[in-house]
């Protein structure tokens, strides 16, 4: 790694933080006549448009990745099934992202979406059988309690739990599952990050277009054209695509843990921008919930790094 790699990775991570922070603001700035599903489909169309040049350029340069190797038919079918499943999951998460931000509010949805580590811990515990330390369990309990309190609007009563807040929580749930699958594919196949990104957004777009057609019938084309032509859809598609690419490049220069630590406070930017640009009123309980969520995520990151360091020390010690 070059001496300039770390500063570059840190700068890219801060760029990712900014993109993550402004995306909810862009999403909720769309015109009132554009529905969440049409907007999700439109921004996905623009993601494909923005992702295509990198895909074509990589192909022209001769880096064919997974498309340049002979793969047995059975493996081809498996990879196609994985691409279809993860692309559909990302398409659904895009729709829930737009819908959750609209209905739950940019601030609440941003904090909910930042709960990604909670689901990562869940999958590690259930499927990888990784035992958690007392610190990790305690921080997880605080994180769950904070999210519950936020979802109830600061009342703590189950009757006031917002279904739209739960819809926002489904976004990191879908992301966590899809990312685990994609990480496995990157390790076992020659597929490149550019190919993963392009195929992901292409399948997501097809899924959302099919869903839009199923729910709007013959009026799908006018609704889609109206949404695609909106500057907010173009800007959102660009921001979403750039966030993916910037993140991929950031973690090439620094550890994922450091990059994640840098991007963790991004809902703070959303909260700060939601007041002047969206006219949202921020309650004290939202600020408190955000602080607790960020602290819990930092704590879980620290606990995970400490446990990994201890495990490496045990492996390195003479038997």
């Amino acid at each position: 790694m070059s001496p300039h790699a770390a500063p570059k990775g840190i700068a890219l991570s801060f760029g990712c933080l900014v993109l993550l922070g402004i995306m909810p603001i862009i999403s909720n700035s769309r015109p009132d006549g554009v529905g969440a599903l049409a907007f999700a489909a439109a921004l996905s169309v623009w993601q494909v448009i923005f992702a295509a040049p990198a895909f074509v350029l990589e192909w022209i340069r001769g880096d064919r990745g997974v498309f340049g190797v002979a793969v047995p038919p059975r493996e081809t079918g498996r990879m196609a099934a994985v691409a279809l499943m993860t692309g559909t999951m990302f398409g659904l998460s895009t729709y829930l992202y737009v819908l959750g931000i609209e209905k739950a509010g940019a601030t609440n949805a941003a904090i909910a979406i930042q709960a990604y580590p909670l689901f990562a811990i869940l999958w590690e515990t259930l499927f990888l059988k990784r035992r958690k330390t007392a610190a990790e369990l305690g921080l997880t309990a605080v994180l769950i309690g904070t999210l519950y309190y936020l979802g109830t609007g600061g009342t703590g009563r189950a009757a006031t739990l917002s279904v739209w807040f739960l819809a926002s929580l489904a976004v990191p749930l879908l992301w966590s599952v899809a990312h685990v699958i994609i990480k496995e594919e990157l390790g076992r196949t020659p597929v490149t990050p550019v190919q993963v990104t392009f195929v992901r957004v292409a399948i997501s777009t097809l899924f959302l277009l099919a869903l839009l057609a199923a729910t709007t019938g013959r009026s799908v084309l006018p609704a889609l054209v109206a949404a695609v032509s909106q500057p907010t859809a173009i800007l959102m598609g660009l921001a979403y695509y750039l966030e993916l690419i910037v993140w991929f490049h950031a973690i090439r220069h620094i550890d994922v843990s450091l990059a994640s630590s840098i991007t963790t406070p991004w809902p703070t930017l959303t909260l700060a921008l939601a007041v002047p640009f969206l006219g949202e009123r921020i309650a004290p309980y939202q600020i408190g919930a955000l602080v607790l969520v960020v602290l819990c995520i930092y704590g879980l990151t620290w606990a995970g790094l400490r446990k990994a360091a201890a495990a490496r020390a045990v492996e390195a010690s003479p038997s």
Side-chain angles (χ1 to χ4, degrees):
M1 183 179 292
S2 71
H4 302 292
K8 186 175 181 180
I10 291 171
L12 288 169
S13 298
F14 274 111
C16 200
L17 179 150
V18 172
L19 289 167
L20 287 167
I22 65 175
M23 280 165 55
I25 308 301
I26 299 172
S27 182
N28 268 8
S29 298
R30 71 183 189 275
D32 293 337
V34 180
L37 181 55
F39 187 74
L43 74 88
S44 297
V45 169
W46 282 108
Q47 280 191 86
V48 173
I49 294 172
F50 290 125
F55 180 81
V56 173
L57 183 61
E58 189 176 70
W59 186 277
I60 293 174
R61 288 177 174 174
D63 188 0
R64 304 296 168 85
V66 73
F67 298 107
V69 297
V71 181
R74 185 173 181 179
E75 180 67 7
T76 300
R78 187 199 63 79
M79 289 192 296
V82 168
L84 183 61
M85 179 175 63
T86 54
T88 299
M89 293 171 69
F90 281 121
L92 179 58
S93 68
T94 300
Y95 172 48
L96 292 175
Y97 180 100
V98 175
L99 185 65
I101 288 171
E102 174 191 337
K103 300 294 186 179
T107 299
N108 279 5
I111 299 173
I113 292 169
Q114 185 59 343
Y116 181 95
L118 180 64
F119 297 104
I121 289 172
L122 176 63
W123 305 138
E124 287 180 354
T125 303
L126 292 179
F127 300 111
L128 301 181
K129 307 300 182 183
R130 293 179 181 173
R131 298 183 63 182
K132 299 302 174 185
T133 64
E136 288 176 312
L137 292 175
L139 288 167
T140 301
V142 174
L143 181 56
I144 292 173
T146 302
L147 290 171
Y148 171 77
Y149 186 72
L150 180 65
T152 62
T155 67
R157 299 194 301 270
T160 61
L161 184 62
S162 170
V163 66
W164 302 117
F165 184 81
L166 295 178
S168 299
L169 281 174
V171 175
L173 171 63
L174 290 167
W175 282 352
S176 63
V177 176
H179 284 157
V180 167
I181 298 172
I182 288 177
K183 183 179 180 180
E184 179 69 17
E185 288 299 294
L186 287 171
R188 65 181 293 177
T189 68
V191 66
T192 68
V194 169
Q195 290 173 344
V196 168
T197 302
F198 180 76
V199 172
R200 162 186 164 173
V201 296
I203 295 175
S204 297
T205 301
L206 292 174
F207 167 76
L208 289 169
L209 290 176
L211 187 59
L212 184 63
T215 55
T216 59
R218 294 181 179 178
S219 62
V220 59
L221 188 57
L224 181 62
V225 170
V228 168
S229 62
Q230 293 296 328
T232 48
I234 301 173
L235 190 58
M236 186 67 179
L238 178 60
Y240 213 141
Y241 170 69
L242 286 178
E243 189 274 324
L244 292 174
I245 294 300
V246 170
W247 175 255
F248 272 130
H249 283 284
I251 61 178
R252 289 178 63 184
H253 297 288
I254 58 176
D255 292 337
V256 173
S257 58
L258 177 56
S260 298
S261 297
I262 293 171
T263 60
T264 289
W266 69 262
T268 306
L269 179 59
T270 302
L271 184 149
L273 295 176
V275 176
F277 287 98
L278 301 178
E280 288 193 9
R281 298 180 63 182
I282 306 301
Y285 77 87
Q286 291 174 297
I287 298 174
L290 174 58
V291 171
L292 278 176
V293 167
V294 170
L295 289 177
C296 285
I297 293 173
Y298 276 133
L300 288 169
T301 301
W302 173 80
L305 291 174
R306 185 179 180 184
K307 186 167 63 175
R312 287 194 299 268
V314 170
E315 291 176 358
S317 62
S319 55

